[in-house]
PDB file of all heavy atoms in Angstrom:
ATOM      1  N   GLU I 577      17.488  35.725   3.790  1.00 91.00           N
ATOM      2  CA  GLU I 577      17.442  36.823   4.766  1.00 91.00           C
ATOM      3  C   GLU I 577      16.017  37.360   4.882  1.00 91.00           C
ATOM      4  O   GLU I 577      15.544  37.665   5.975  1.00 91.00           O
ATOM      5  CB  GLU I 577      18.421  37.930   4.370  1.00 91.00           C
ATOM      6  CG  GLU I 577      19.871  37.509   4.594  1.00 91.00           C
ATOM      7  CD  GLU I 577      20.890  38.498   4.058  1.00 91.00           C
ATOM      8  OE1 GLU I 577      20.567  39.227   3.087  1.00 91.00           O
ATOM      9  OE2 GLU I 577      21.998  38.537   4.597  1.00 91.00           O
ATOM     10  N   GLU I 578      15.340  37.444   3.745  1.00 94.00           N
ATOM     11  CA  GLU I 578      13.958  37.937   3.759  1.00 94.00           C
ATOM     12  C   GLU I 578      13.054  36.962   4.515  1.00 94.00           C
ATOM     13  O   GLU I 578      12.170  37.363   5.281  1.00 94.00           O
ATOM     14  CB  GLU I 578      13.468  38.120   2.318  1.00 94.00           C
ATOM     15  CG  GLU I 578      12.271  39.044   2.225  1.00 94.00           C
ATOM     16  CD  GLU I 578      11.611  38.960   0.853  1.00 94.00           C
ATOM     17  OE1 GLU I 578      12.328  38.934  -0.165  1.00 94.00           O
ATOM     18  OE2 GLU I 578      10.367  38.913   0.832  1.00 94.00           O
ATOM     19  N   LEU I 579      13.278  35.661   4.298  1.00 95.00           N
ATOM     20  CA  LEU I 579      12.509  34.655   5.024  1.00 95.00           C
ATOM     21  C   LEU I 579      12.708  34.821   6.534  1.00 95.00           C
ATOM     22  O   LEU I 579      11.748  34.770   7.315  1.00 95.00           O
ATOM     23  CB  LEU I 579      12.938  33.266   4.545  1.00 95.00           C
ATOM     24  CG  LEU I 579      12.151  32.074   5.118  1.00 95.00           C
ATOM     25  CD1 LEU I 579      12.039  30.986   4.062  1.00 95.00           C
ATOM     26  CD2 LEU I 579      12.780  31.507   6.362  1.00 95.00           C
ATOM     27  N   TYR I 580      13.954  35.059   6.934  1.00 93.00           N
ATOM     28  CA  TYR I 580      14.216  35.252   8.364  1.00 93.00           C
ATOM     29  C   TYR I 580      13.539  36.516   8.888  1.00 93.00           C
ATOM     30  O   TYR I 580      13.075  36.547  10.031  1.00 93.00           O
ATOM     31  CB  TYR I 580      15.722  35.304   8.638  1.00 93.00           C
ATOM     32  CG  TYR I 580      16.244  33.960   9.056  1.00 93.00           C
ATOM     33  CD1 TYR I 580      16.592  33.009   8.112  1.00 93.00           C
ATOM     34  CD2 TYR I 580      16.360  33.616  10.397  1.00 93.00           C
ATOM     35  CE1 TYR I 580      17.059  31.761   8.478  1.00 93.00           C
ATOM     36  CE2 TYR I 580      16.822  32.376  10.787  1.00 93.00           C
ATOM     37  CZ  TYR I 580      17.172  31.446   9.822  1.00 93.00           C
ATOM     38  OH  TYR I 580      17.620  30.206  10.197  1.00 93.00           O
ATOM     39  N   LEU I 581      13.482  37.560   8.039  1.00 94.00           N
ATOM     40  CA  LEU I 581      12.779  38.771   8.485  1.00 94.00           C
ATOM     41  C   LEU I 581      11.312  38.463   8.749  1.00 94.00           C
ATOM     42  O   LEU I 581      10.721  38.984   9.696  1.00 94.00           O
ATOM     43  CB  LEU I 581      12.917  39.887   7.440  1.00 94.00           C
ATOM     44  CG  LEU I 581      14.305  40.504   7.324  1.00 94.00           C
ATOM     45  CD1 LEU I 581      14.312  41.574   6.230  1.00 94.00           C
ATOM     46  CD2 LEU I 581      14.751  41.104   8.660  1.00 94.00           C
ATOM     47  N   GLY I 582      10.708  37.609   7.929  1.00 96.00           N
ATOM     48  CA  GLY I 582       9.323  37.215   8.167  1.00 96.00           C
ATOM     49  C   GLY I 582       9.170  36.433   9.455  1.00 96.00           C
ATOM     50  O   GLY I 582       8.257  36.678  10.262  1.00 96.00           O
ATOM     51  N   LEU I 583      10.087  35.477   9.668  1.00 95.00           N
ATOM     52  CA  LEU I 583      10.076  34.729  10.934  1.00 95.00           C
ATOM     53  C   LEU I 583      10.227  35.680  12.115  1.00 95.00           C
ATOM     54  O   LEU I 583       9.513  35.585  13.124  1.00 95.00           O
ATOM     55  CB  LEU I 583      11.245  33.736  10.959  1.00 95.00           C
ATOM     56  CG  LEU I 583      11.137  32.475  10.112  1.00 95.00           C
ATOM     57  CD1 LEU I 583      12.503  31.793  10.009  1.00 95.00           C
ATOM     58  CD2 LEU I 583      10.118  31.511  10.708  1.00 95.00           C
ATOM     59  N   ARG I 584      11.169  36.620  11.984  1.00 93.00           N
ATOM     60  CA  ARG I 584      11.457  37.516  13.095  1.00 93.00           C
ATOM     61  C   ARG I 584      10.300  38.471  13.373  1.00 93.00           C
ATOM     62  O   ARG I 584      10.036  38.819  14.531  1.00 93.00           O
ATOM     63  CB  ARG I 584      12.713  38.343  12.786  1.00 93.00           C
ATOM     64  CG  ARG I 584      13.973  37.542  12.991  1.00 93.00           C
ATOM     65  CD  ARG I 584      15.179  38.212  12.350  1.00 93.00           C
ATOM     66  NE  ARG I 584      16.367  37.474  12.731  1.00 93.00           N
ATOM     67  CZ  ARG I 584      17.134  37.771  13.778  1.00 93.00           C
ATOM     68  NH1 ARG I 584      16.894  38.840  14.505  1.00 93.00           N
ATOM     69  NH2 ARG I 584      18.167  37.026  14.089  1.00 93.00           N
ATOM     70  N   ALA I 585       9.616  38.885  12.304  1.00 95.00           N
ATOM     71  CA  ALA I 585       8.498  39.824  12.501  1.00 95.00           C
ATOM     72  C   ALA I 585       7.389  39.170  13.318  1.00 95.00           C
ATOM     73  O   ALA I 585       6.849  39.778  14.253  1.00 95.00           O
ATOM     74  CB  ALA I 585       7.962  40.291  11.144  1.00 95.00           C
ATOM     75  N   VAL I 586       7.059  37.942  12.995  1.00 96.00           N
ATOM     76  CA  VAL I 586       5.977  37.282  13.729  1.00 96.00           C
ATOM     77  C   VAL I 586       6.465  36.853  15.117  1.00 96.00           C
ATOM     78  O   VAL I 586       5.712  36.901  16.095  1.00 96.00           O
ATOM     79  CB  VAL I 586       5.349  36.135  12.896  1.00 96.00           C
ATOM     80  CG1 VAL I 586       6.253  34.940  12.830  1.00 96.00           C
ATOM     81  CG2 VAL I 586       3.984  35.740  13.418  1.00 96.00           C
ATOM     82  N   ALA I 587       7.755  36.515  15.237  1.00 95.00           N
ATOM     83  CA  ALA I 587       8.318  36.191  16.560  1.00 95.00           C
ATOM     84  C   ALA I 587       8.229  37.409  17.475  1.00 95.00           C
ATOM     85  O   ALA I 587       7.845  37.299  18.647  1.00 95.00           O
ATOM     86  CB  ALA I 587       9.771  35.727  16.428  1.00 95.00           C
ATOM     87  N   ARG I 588       8.588  38.567  16.940  1.00 95.00           N
ATOM     88  CA  ARG I 588       8.554  39.788  17.751  1.00 95.00           C
ATOM     89  C   ARG I 588       7.116  40.100  18.167  1.00 95.00           C
ATOM     90  O   ARG I 588       6.837  40.396  19.326  1.00 95.00           O
ATOM     91  CB  ARG I 588       9.147  40.962  16.960  1.00 95.00           C
ATOM     92  CG  ARG I 588       9.284  42.233  17.785  1.00 95.00           C
ATOM     93  CD  ARG I 588       9.958  43.357  17.008  1.00 95.00           C
ATOM     94  NE  ARG I 588      11.293  42.993  16.568  1.00 95.00           N
ATOM     95  CZ  ARG I 588      11.665  42.783  15.308  1.00 95.00           C
ATOM     96  NH1 ARG I 588      10.784  42.925  14.329  1.00 95.00           N
ATOM     97  NH2 ARG I 588      12.895  42.451  15.010  1.00 95.00           N
ATOM     98  N   ARG I 589       6.195  39.983  17.214  1.00 96.00           N
ATOM     99  CA  ARG I 589       4.799  40.296  17.491  1.00 96.00           C
ATOM    100  C   ARG I 589       4.258  39.455  18.655  1.00 96.00           C
ATOM    101  O   ARG I 589       3.480  39.948  19.471  1.00 96.00           O
ATOM    102  CB  ARG I 589       3.957  40.032  16.239  1.00 96.00           C
ATOM    103  CG  ARG I 589       2.458  40.084  16.416  1.00 96.00           C
ATOM    104  CD  ARG I 589       1.918  41.484  16.292  1.00 96.00           C
ATOM    105  NE  ARG I 589       2.061  41.905  14.911  1.00 96.00           N
ATOM    106  CZ  ARG I 589       1.113  41.782  13.982  1.00 96.00           C
ATOM    107  NH1 ARG I 589      -0.066  41.298  14.309  1.00 96.00           N
ATOM    108  NH2 ARG I 589       1.320  42.170  12.741  1.00 96.00           N
TER     109      ARG I 589
END
Side-chain angles (χ1 to χ4, degrees):
Chain I
E577 288 173 332
E578 200 193 317
L579 185 146
Y580 264 84
L581 289 179
L583 285 167
R584 282 165 173 267
V586 74
R588 186 176 300 111
R589 170 86 69 94

